Amino acid sequence: MPETWPEGVIARYLTAAGAALADPALAVDITVDAVPSLHPQTYEVQPGLLDMSGRITCSGCGTTAETCGGNEYYEASREDMTRYLADRSRPAAQSHAETCRAMPRPTA
Ligand SMILES: [Zn+2]
Protein backbone atom coordinates (compact mmCIF):
# COMPACT_ATOMS: atom_id res chain seq x y z
CA MET A 1 0.00 0.00 0.00
CA PRO A 2 1.42 3.39 -0.87
CA GLU A 3 2.14 5.62 2.10
CA THR A 4 3.00 9.28 1.75
CA TRP A 5 5.55 10.68 4.14
CA PRO A 6 4.92 13.88 6.07
CA GLU A 7 6.49 17.06 4.72
CA GLY A 8 10.20 17.34 5.47
CA VAL A 9 10.76 13.75 6.56
CA ILE A 10 14.19 12.54 5.41
CA ALA A 11 14.10 8.98 6.72
CA ARG A 12 11.60 6.73 8.50
CA TYR A 13 12.13 3.74 10.78
CA LEU A 14 9.19 1.42 11.37
CA THR A 15 8.61 0.82 15.09
CA ALA A 16 8.28 -2.59 16.72
CA ALA A 17 4.54 -1.97 17.11
CA GLY A 18 4.29 -0.87 13.49
CA ALA A 19 6.00 -4.07 12.37
CA ALA A 20 3.71 -6.26 14.49
CA LEU A 21 0.57 -4.52 13.20
CA ALA A 22 1.84 -4.05 9.63
CA ASP A 23 1.08 -0.34 10.08
CA PRO A 24 3.65 1.85 8.29
CA ALA A 25 2.26 4.95 10.01
CA LEU A 26 3.86 3.80 13.29
CA ALA A 27 7.33 5.11 12.61
CA VAL A 28 10.18 7.26 13.84
CA ASP A 29 10.79 10.15 11.47
CA ILE A 30 14.05 12.02 10.97
CA THR A 31 13.76 15.69 10.13
CA VAL A 32 16.29 18.51 10.03
CA ASP A 33 15.23 21.88 11.40
CA ALA A 34 16.73 25.07 10.03
CA VAL A 35 16.07 28.42 11.67
CA PRO A 36 17.75 31.79 11.05
CA SER A 37 20.91 32.08 13.11
CA LEU A 38 21.22 34.93 15.58
CA HIS A 39 24.44 36.80 16.25
CA PRO A 40 25.65 35.62 19.66
CA GLN A 41 26.19 39.14 21.02
CA THR A 42 23.40 41.16 19.45
CA TYR A 43 20.74 38.49 18.92
CA GLU A 44 20.14 39.91 15.50
CA VAL A 45 19.67 37.64 12.51
CA GLN A 46 22.88 36.82 10.70
CA PRO A 47 21.99 36.93 7.01
CA GLY A 48 22.63 33.67 5.19
CA LEU A 49 23.32 31.63 8.29
CA LEU A 50 21.04 29.00 9.75
CA ASP A 51 21.08 27.04 12.97
CA MET A 52 20.37 23.47 11.94
CA SER A 53 19.56 20.44 14.03
CA GLY A 54 18.55 16.83 13.53
CA ARG A 55 15.35 15.68 15.20
CA ILE A 56 13.50 12.40 15.65
CA THR A 57 9.73 12.20 16.13
CA CYS A 58 7.88 8.98 16.97
CA SER A 59 4.29 8.76 15.82
CA GLY A 60 3.66 5.82 18.15
CA CYS A 61 4.50 7.34 21.55
CA GLY A 62 4.89 11.01 20.67
CA THR A 63 8.54 11.17 21.69
CA THR A 64 10.41 13.99 20.04
CA ALA A 65 14.08 14.71 20.57
CA GLU A 66 16.85 16.81 19.12
CA THR A 67 19.63 14.39 18.31
CA CYS A 68 22.40 16.66 17.11
CA GLY A 69 23.23 20.14 16.01
CA GLY A 70 21.89 23.20 17.75
CA ASN A 71 24.72 25.59 17.01
CA GLU A 72 25.66 24.22 13.66
CA TYR A 73 24.99 26.34 10.65
CA TYR A 74 25.72 26.26 7.00
CA GLU A 75 27.71 28.64 4.93
CA ALA A 76 28.05 26.87 1.60
CA SER A 77 25.82 23.85 1.21
CA ARG A 78 22.58 23.43 3.07
CA GLU A 79 22.10 20.05 1.35
CA ASP A 80 25.38 18.68 2.70
CA MET A 81 24.57 19.87 6.21
CA THR A 82 21.08 18.36 6.05
CA ARG A 83 22.53 15.02 4.95
CA TYR A 84 25.18 15.14 7.67
CA LEU A 85 22.68 15.89 10.45
CA ALA A 86 20.20 13.29 9.16
CA ASP A 87 22.94 10.65 9.13
CA ARG A 88 23.91 11.52 12.70
CA SER A 89 20.25 11.08 13.72
CA ARG A 90 19.96 7.56 12.29
CA PRO A 91 21.30 5.60 15.29
CA ALA A 92 18.82 7.28 17.66
CA ALA A 93 15.93 6.69 15.26
CA GLN A 94 16.96 3.07 14.74
CA SER A 95 17.27 2.27 18.44
CA HIS A 96 14.00 3.98 19.37
CA ALA A 97 12.12 2.22 16.57
CA GLU A 98 13.47 -1.18 17.60
CA THR A 99 12.11 -0.86 21.13
CA CYS A 100 8.96 1.30 20.78
CA ARG A 101 5.78 -0.72 21.21
CA ALA A 102 3.47 2.24 21.79
CA MET A 103 0.16 2.25 19.97
CA PRO A 104 -1.77 5.45 19.24
CA ARG A 105 -5.20 5.80 20.83
CA PRO A 106 -7.92 5.00 18.29
CA THR A 107 -9.61 8.17 17.06
CA ALA A 108 -12.82 6.63 15.72
ZN1 LIG B 1 8.03 5.75 20.28
Side-chain angles (χ1 to χ4, degrees):
M1 75 188 109
E3 174 84 7
T4 57
W5 288 10
E7 175 94 20
V9 171
I10 295 164
R12 292 200 110 173
Y13 290 77
L14 189 66
T15 68
L21 298 171
D23 183 354
L26 292 175
V28 180
D29 291 338
I30 295 176
T31 54
V32 173
D33 298 337
V35 298
S37 188
L38 300 178
H39 190 278
Q41 265 86 50
T42 64
Y43 298 104
E44 290 180 4
V45 171
Q46 302 190 83
L49 293 183
L50 296 173
D51 286 330
M52 298 179 72
S53 55
R55 179 172 295 280
I56 61 170
T57 304
C58 178
S59 59
C61 67
T63 287
T64 177
E66 186 174 303
T67 52
C68 54
N71 295 316
E72 290 169 304
Y73 56 84
Y74 87 107
E75 287 173 297
S77 171
R78 184 173 174 173
E79 288 71 26
D80 285 350
M81 195 55 149
T82 297
R83 196 176 309 116
Y84 170 73
L85 292 171
D87 284 348
R88 283 181 58 192
S89 301
R90 288 178 188 275
Q94 175 82 45
S95 64
H96 184 94
E98 283 173 352
T99 55
C100 186
R101 298 187 170 274
M103 295 168 60
R105 178 178 295 275
T107 51

